[in-house]
Amino acid sequence: MTEIRTETVPLVDGSELRLTVAQPDGPVRGGVVVLHEARGVTDAVRRLVSGIAGDGWLTVAPHLYHRDGADELHASDEQVADQVRRLDGEQVMADTDTAFGWLVEHDVTPDRMGVIGFDLGGTVALLVAASRTLGAAVTVGGTGTTEPPSDSFPSLVSAAAEVTCPWLGIYGEPADGSEDPALEQLKDAADGAGVATNVVTYPGSGHRFDSESGSAEDAWQRMLNWFDSHLR
């Protein structure tokens, strides 16, 4: 897989944003910002950064917990949830903008920029798609569909109708095979956005898409195809 490295970017608030980045071995087709899961920049996130770069995209993952001096959280689910609740929405968006700025400095234009997020990052990716100009966005799982995940973030349903770029949502359905009403609301909201959107669900994967399930390979290919189609 493509090698990854970590760079540090100074911010105006005096802190430093760490970026995990990967450069394609061949020509750069464009750039993708990867927004990490609730536990931070885990080994799984690093593999994703490397894998996306292997498809020709200059890839960068901002460490959204850097103000707390954390890269990856080795903690209980309750402690992780508390970390997510304490995130400041404006700071998260500013860190994401810094990652996009890093791509600009490496000669990637906005129409060739994409964003993909997982879990917590999936939530942020949709909010980015609703408030920034870029080429495409992908959400894999995520929280806060109908209720805001924290006081500083809106719900995804309220943001979905405002997306300004092609957006793909990948989710798991309840394990009992029933439809998730929240996902149905999200689909309906995204349909009114006026841009290409698609919400794909995988039966039996639970309320969040399980990256370890047999559907992971299909979801991975859908994500790559989405960027292939819209980042030009």
Side-chain angles (χ1 to χ4, degrees):
M1 298 184 74
T2 305
E3 291 186 2
I4 62 174
R5 65 182 187 276
T6 299
E7 296 188 7
T8 302
V9 177
L11 302 179
V12 294
D13 65 4
S15 65
E16 293 184 328
L17 175 62
R18 290 183 294 280
L19 302 172
T20 290
V21 302
Q23 177 88 24
D25 292 332
V28 174
R29 304 169 62 193
V32 175
V33 172
V34 175
L35 298 173
H36 63 67
E37 59 183 285
R39 288 191 174 273
V41 183
T42 62
D43 287 342
V45 172
R46 294 184 182 92
R47 288 193 296 271
L48 289 164
V49 169
S50 179
I52 293 171
D55 199 51
W57 307 104
L58 182 59
T59 310
V60 53
H63 295 216
L64 301 178
Y65 297 151
H66 68 95
R67 291 178 179 82
D68 293 326
D71 293 306
E72 180 179 357
L73 301 180
H74 300 281
S76 67
D77 290 346
E78 182 177 343
Q79 290 171 314
V80 171
D82 181 64
Q83 175 72 46
V84 172
R85 284 192 294 269
R86 289 190 288 109
L87 279 176
D88 181 279
E90 291 186 1
Q91 290 179 338
V92 169
M93 296 299 282
D95 291 343
T96 305
D97 287 342
T98 298
F100 285 125
W102 185 90
L103 289 175
V104 170
E105 291 174 357
H106 289 76
D107 300 321
V108 179
T109 55
D111 60 319
R112 294 189 300 126
M113 290 183 192
V115 61
I116 181 169
F118 303 82
D119 185 28
L120 164 67
T123 299
V124 178
L126 177 52
L127 301 180
V128 169
S131 59
R132 299 294 187 268
T133 300
L134 64 157
V138 179
T139 288
V140 182
T143 59
T145 305
T146 56
E147 296 293 332
S150 74
D151 291 341
S152 59
F153 291 102
S155 70
L156 297 190
V157 167
S158 66
E162 305 297 328
V163 296
T164 61
C165 67
W167 172 73
L168 170 66
I170 299 175
Y171 292 89
E173 291 182 338
D176 62 6
S178 62
E179 292 185 350
D180 185 341
L183 289 182
E184 293 304 310
Q185 291 182 50
L186 187 62
K187 290 179 184 179
D188 291 342
D191 284 344
V195 296
T197 63
N198 189 21
V199 176
V200 178
T201 57
Y202 290 89
S205 298
H207 286 274
R208 298 182 187 177
F209 174 74
D210 181 3
S211 62
E212 301 299 324
S213 72
S215 304
E217 183 176 350
D218 183 75
W220 174 260
Q221 193 59 54
R222 284 180 183 273
M223 177 269 293
L224 293 180
N225 291 344
W226 194 258
F227 289 143
D228 287 343
S229 297
H230 298 291
L231 300 184
R232 298 181 180 277

